[in-house]
Amino acid sequence: MPSPLLTIEVTRSEAGRARLRLTGELDFDTAPELTEIAEALRRDGCHELEIDMDGVGLCDSSGLSALVVIHRRGSGPIRLTGVRGQLQRLLDRTGLSEVLDAEAVDARDVG
């Protein structure tokens, strides 16, 4: 059952690619939903995943763990876009910003 705390919009682009746009909180309660959707996309042939984090207001250790699990279980790259604030600092401190190919939002571009 989808969580009211996290919305995941999936857009399939060219063959083998999909974009997941997250809005809400990526935490203990919602991280399993993201993992399940990513695994289903990969089973359906989407091996390259772009995960848009611009709408994520909170990401705890469970959310971070879900991103690592998606990366490790995948047969293709994942790329995080729209990363900012607390999540960017967390990814930088753990060294995962490079592993997960995280693209930070330029603070000058934020209104």
Side-chain angles (χ1 to χ4, degrees):
M1 180 169 98
S3 168
L5 300 176
L6 181 68
T7 302
I8 303 172
E9 292 179 34
V10 176
T11 306
R12 293 173 189 246
S13 55
E14 57 192 68
R17 292 182 181 206
R19 179 176 185 258
L20 292 80
R21 184 172 182 261
L22 310 184
T23 305
E25 299 178 359
L26 184 56
D27 60 13
F28 179 80
D29 294 321
T30 61
E33 181 182 355
L34 176 60
T35 304
E36 289 170 16
I37 289 173
E39 288 177 357
L41 285 167
R42 289 226 162 110
R43 282 192 303 272
D44 288 345
C46 293
H47 300 288
E48 293 184 35
L49 302 178
E50 175 185 323
I51 303 175
D52 181 352
M53 305 293 287
D54 191 44
V56 174
L58 170 85
C59 181
D60 70 4
S61 61
S62 296
L64 187 61
S65 178
L67 296 171
V68 171
V69 166
I70 293 166
H71 169 72
R72 286 187 178 165
R73 290 185 184 168
S75 55
I78 71 166
R79 184 169 154 259
L80 304 181
T81 61
V83 178
R84 66 175 84 231
Q86 174 259 349
L87 178 57
Q88 182 63 53
R89 289 187 296 275
L90 186 59
L91 291 171
D92 289 344
R93 286 183 184 142
T94 60
L96 290 172
S97 58
E98 291 179 24
V99 172
L100 297 176
D101 192 15
E103 180 181 301
V105 173
D106 188 335
R108 294 171 298 203
D109 294 337
V110 177

